[in-house]
Amino acid sequence: MHSFASSVRRSGFSLFELVVVLAVLGILATIAVPRAGGALDARRERASREGMKAIEEAVLGGVGQRGLEGFYADMGRLPRATLNADGEYSLRELWECPSSNASYRIVAPAADPDVRVGIGWRGPYLDIAGEEPVDGWNRPYTDSPDATEEQRRLVLGANGAVEAIRRRNEKGDVVECSLKHERETVLVVTVQALDQNGAASVQDLGTVTVSLYQPDPDHPGRVDVVEKMDTTATAVRTLRFDTGLLPGWRVLRVRSSRFGAGPVREIELRSEENHIWQAFTVRATAAIEDGNEP
């Protein structure tokens, strides 16, 4: 009995040994917790960057389609901050159509009825699981109407347009993402007269008018037209558009006072970091008088 009791006592831990083990575990926990917290912050920061990028692409278009798709290309303007159910400014236009008049449709301009232009809201542009998009710390991109400039997460411009979104990173620094196109789109249209054999002609085109149809940013569901006119007495004209163009898929039409209307063309006006310079040759020919396609 004496020998058995001694072996039982030797198989247990002393109070001192327990204290030492707990102390070691405490030290390890002290080291591990900051590292785990840092990894969690890194994941939150990465999720925040990806969320901001998703909002930017919803407005301006994704990689390879910059300016050709997204809210701006369809509506001709930036999304406007609207009040949500909580009475805060929101980006709801990215997942809810602003109005029935703004929904996508095919429109024929009154001045050019054989032209068809697709315009309007084709969302949702943002795929979100909750009521509002949030950053990695679960903070929504909304603003109180009474928020100070320092507190703003939505940077508003004219007519409540959301020009940029902001958040704070893990260090507390403000990170801002612009939702505006950096430069104006530039378009160059060359108009060439051809004879009935398809060869270049020296015939004067008369007065040349180039019309480009796009969404009207101030009136959803309506078409706006940007026009250039040239009266130079030559067979080749070059007209440059450098203001007023909106990036996206647009419709272009050329008219000659001598040969009538040229073909309707759908063109892509991309918006990149540098100015766009796209040249199109739109031909008018005397064959139009015979009912052939110019």
Side-chain angles (χ1 to χ4, degrees):
M1 289 294 293
H2 175 74
S3 176
F4 177 74
S6 298
S7 65
V8 171
R9 285 194 297 270
R10 285 196 299 271
S11 66
F13 290 101
S14 69
L15 179 60
F16 175 75
E17 289 171 329
L18 287 173
V19 170
V20 171
V21 170
L22 291 174
V24 171
L25 290 175
I27 293 172
L28 293 175
T30 303
I31 296 172
V33 168
R35 291 185 177 179
L40 180 59
D41 284 345
R43 288 197 296 271
R44 286 170 171 168
E45 176 63 21
R46 183 167 59 252
S48 297
R49 289 197 301 268
E50 291 172 353
M52 289 184 79
K53 186 66 175 177
I55 294 174
E56 179 189 14
E57 291 184 352
V59 176
L60 301 179
V63 177
Q65 295 296 311
R66 191 73 164 186
L68 298 183
E69 62 179 23
F71 185 94
Y72 193 104
D74 292 342
M75 298 290 288
R77 64 171 175 83
L78 292 171
R80 291 172 182 152
T82 58
L83 292 175
N84 62 16
D86 296 327
E88 294 189 325
Y89 285 134
S90 165
L91 287 163
R92 298 192 75 82
E93 285 193 344
L94 293 182
W95 61 91
E96 286 187 5
C97 186
S99 68
S100 59
N101 291 335
S103 58
Y104 184 78
R105 65 192 67 188
I106 305 297
V107 180
D112 209 347
D114 59 334
V115 170
R116 298 292 184 271
V117 186
I119 58 174
W121 195 88
R122 290 193 289 182
Y125 301 93
L126 202 58
D127 183 14
I128 56 176
E131 288 296 318
E132 298 283 347
V134 297
D135 64 14
W137 282 264
N138 206 36
R139 297 173 298 203
Y141 288 96
T142 57
D143 271 335
S144 165
D146 300 324
T148 64
E149 180 61 29
E150 187 176 310
Q151 296 170 329
R152 285 256 175 242
R153 291 168 70 80
L154 304 179
V155 181
L156 306 185
N159 298 322
V162 182
E163 297 183 346
I165 53 175
R166 290 175 179 163
R167 64 177 181 85
R168 291 189 180 273
N169 61 17
E170 74 277 14
K171 297 179 181 179
D173 300 325
V174 174
V175 180
E176 183 170 303
C177 175
S178 175
L179 300 181
K180 296 190 298 182
H181 290 291
E182 296 185 7
R183 300 180 187 273
E184 286 272 1
T185 299
V186 174
L187 171 66
V188 175
V189 180
T190 299
V191 185
Q192 171 73 63
L194 301 179
D195 61 22
Q196 294 191 15
N197 296 319
S201 170
V202 295
Q203 298 179 83
D204 176 30
L205 292 166
T207 299
V208 171
T209 304
V210 178
S211 304
L212 187 133
Y213 297 97
Q214 60 188 16
D216 185 338
D218 297 320
H219 300 91
R222 297 186 191 176
V223 176
D224 190 19
V225 59
V226 182
E227 289 186 334
K228 284 275 186 177
M229 184 178 294
D230 188 304
T231 58
T232 306
T234 58
V236 180
R237 309 289 176 79
T238 299
L239 292 86
R240 175 188 170 96
F241 293 77
D242 51 15
T243 57
L245 297 184
L246 302 177
W249 288 97
R250 305 298 177 227
V251 175
L252 182 141
R253 187 67 177 270
V254 172
R255 282 187 175 80
S256 161
S257 62
R258 180 163 185 175
F259 300 118
V264 177
R265 293 204 175 185
E266 186 179 38
I267 61 175
E268 57 179 46
L269 296 180
R270 293 179 178 269
S271 180
E272 307 289 352
E273 293 184 358
N274 298 318
H275 280 75
I276 305 251
W277 185 277
Q278 293 186 345
F280 297 89
T281 301
V282 183
R283 295 164 180 163
T285 171
I288 192 171
E289 298 174 358
D290 299 328
N292 296 329
E293 180 72 15

